[in-house]
Amino acid sequence: MSGHFQADWLALREPVDHQARSRSLGQRLQAWCAPRQRLCVLDLGTGTGSNRRFLAPLLPADQHWTLVDHDPALLALATAKASGQEARSMQADLSEWHRFARDPSPDLVTASALLDLVSADWLDALVAACRERGAAALMVLSYDGQVEWSSPDPVDAAVLAAVNAHQQRNKGLGAALGPAAPGELAARFRTAGYHVWVESSPWDLGRENAVLAQALVEGWVAAACEQSPEDRSAFRAWGERRCADLAADRTRVRVGHQDLLALPGPGG
């Protein structure tokens, strides 16, 4: 995926992401951060900086952000769109993120739409690093494998099964956990002594989000065809039907995500 295409996709999804995010977890994090005069935040897979734009107004005024992404074009956009807080950008593969978890050591490690792409070992390293530093973690908009259409199509289930199987392929960070990732991370943080909350943050898409929804359908078709090439004709026909349904306001689609907050120490 080119940087330009990624930026366009991230711009499409940002308002929907912000609408979907759990407000109650934001309030819990805000209360935890309130006594801190200065907050150091490590944002993994920062993209164009959407996560920062949502969180910054909730956090103490004195913030230092470290923005980590493998794509220099996206980092440049994130820096250009940032205002009001001190920040540095770091171009790196997310397998190496722990190199940036010092100087300054983060109080909060956060990411958006990342967990379903990572492996069990990556989660182990994340929890260990947060525990070592006494850092909180906020991981939002992790795909949970649930897709519901307001009007059914006979191929819906086959596409979803293929997409969810594709989610478990190696995305560059080991064998991906896909939709199981939020539950796996919650269990690891609880074992490490953290207080953990998980909230639903679904997308609800219809004609008003037709461009985003159609791009999502196209991505699902591509993944499903790659996972089950023998069914590509049926999947492509399904994609054409679903895009037409969305444009004509004949259906809506609910895409499941989960937000997770883990706070260290007694009392959370």
Side-chain angles (χ1 to χ4, degrees), residues 25-124:
L25 296 190
Q27 291 168 357
R28 287 188 184 276
L29 177 62
Q30 190 175 40
W32 183 80
C33 292
R36 291 162 173 77
Q37 294 183 345
R38 176 176 171 82
L39 192 76
C40 295
V41 185
L42 179 63
D43 189 27
L44 304 177
T46 198
T48 63
S50 176
N51 195 23
R52 183 187 187 196
R53 285 188 288 278
F54 183 90
L55 281 177
L58 303 179
L59 304 179
D62 189 359
Q63 301 169 29
H64 179 283
W65 287 75
T66 300
L67 312 176
V68 181
D69 202 285
H70 73 284
D71 190 321
L74 296 181
L75 279 174
L77 286 172
T79 303
K81 294 181 178 182
S83 62
Q85 305 91 29
E86 181 183 351
R88 62 173 179 168
S89 61
M90 297 290 176
Q91 182 187 353
D93 186 279
L94 288 179
S95 64
E96 303 175 330
W97 73 269
H98 57 278
R99 293 197 291 119
F100 310 107
R102 56 181 182 270
D103 192 29
S105 181
D107 304 298
L108 171 65
V109 178
T110 186
S112 176
L114 176 64
L115 280 192
D116 44 295
L117 306 178
V118 307
S119 66
D121 288 345
W122 195 94
L123 293 188
D124 288 338

Side-chain angles (χ1 to χ4, degrees), residues 130-238:
C130 288
R131 185 179 185 183
E132 178 183 348
R133 293 162 177 81
L138 179 67
M139 302 287 156
V140 302
L141 296 161
S142 302
Y143 173 64
D144 68 3
Q146 302 298 311
V147 175
E148 299 175 3
W149 294 88
S150 63
S151 59
D153 183 283
V155 187
D156 288 344
V159 171
L160 181 59
V163 168
N164 287 346
H166 191 276
Q167 284 288 107
Q168 297 178 333
R169 292 187 174 198
N170 191 324
K171 304 299 192 297
L173 297 169
L177 289 167
E184 292 284 343
L185 184 59
R188 283 165 168 76
F189 268 122
R190 290 187 178 113
T191 299
Y194 274 66
H195 302 269
V196 180
W197 297 265
V198 179
E199 298 283 348
S200 178
S201 54
W203 283 355
D204 180 19
L205 306 179
R207 185 169 60 180
E208 71 279 12
N209 317 107
V211 176
L212 172 64
Q214 289 169 354
L216 185 64
V217 167
E218 290 167 3
W220 284 339
V221 169
C225 288
E226 187 174 346
Q227 184 67 25
S228 300
E230 66 277 12
D231 296 317
R232 63 169 63 93
S233 295
F235 292 157
R236 288 170 179 166
W238 173 89

